[in-house]
Amino acid sequence: MKQIIIFMSFISMLFGTAQNAALKVLPVDEYKTQIEKGKVQLVDVRTPNDYNSGHIKNAKNIDFFAASFESQFEKLNKEKPLYIYCRSGARSRKAASKLSAMGFTEIYDLKGGYLNWK
């Protein structure tokens, strides 16, 4: 039994299925309403090429795969809500795990990513 629990924990960690208390995935309409309320920390974690081919207005681009990913996020306020998105939602969930470990306490992800935004 203990081996099964360890194995399932490993699988959850590997595929990111474990719950992240700091992360809340929002449907497009709610996400849009939240970011339109005012000045928010809005970050696109896709590559610069993806970002340049289209992005949400006022989003800052911080590439999840860049070596500077963590140092760029260190410049943001960890106490304020952070809105992130990627192409489909998978990369932003991985980013949310990293960001939560860095101390961000309120992270909102766009359900379905930018593909769902259009």
Side-chain angles (χ1 to χ4, degrees):
M1 184 66 171
K2 186 177 179 182
Q3 291 173 329
I4 292 173
I5 293 171
I6 292 170
F7 177 73
M8 293 305 290
S9 295
F10 174 74
I11 294 299
S12 291
M13 181 185 73
L14 188 64
F15 293 103
T17 57
Q19 284 290 85
N20 181 339
L23 174 64
K24 184 171 184 183
V25 180
L26 302 177
V28 174
D29 55 342
E30 191 176 341
Y31 192 91
K32 192 176 283 192
T33 299
Q34 293 294 328
I35 65 172
E36 288 175 350
K37 283 184 179 178
K39 189 172 179 165
V40 297
Q41 299 184 114
L42 176 62
V43 181
D44 182 327
V45 296
R46 298 177 300 157
T47 65
N49 283 342
D50 290 336
Y51 177 84
N52 290 332
S53 68
H55 59 272
I56 298 173
K57 185 179 177 183
N58 298 321
K60 177 181 176 94
N61 183 220
I62 302 177
D63 183 355
F64 176 73
F65 298 113
S68 61
F69 177 84
E70 289 182 14
S71 65
Q72 288 185 65
F73 271 101
E74 285 294 342
K75 297 173 185 171
L76 299 180
N77 188 336
K78 293 178 184 177
E79 304 301 316
K80 289 187 177 180
L82 177 64
Y83 293 80
I84 60 173
Y85 69 94
C86 65
R87 186 182 69 83
S88 65
R91 197 176 340 173
S92 52
R93 273 191 295 285
K94 290 178 186 176
S97 291
K98 276 188 177 185
L99 296 167
S100 178
M102 290 172 61
F104 286 89
T105 57
E106 199 175 343
I107 305 165
Y108 297 96
D109 188 10
L110 174 61
K111 184 176 185 174
Y114 191 67
L115 290 175
N116 204 24
W117 181 264
K118 294 181 174 186

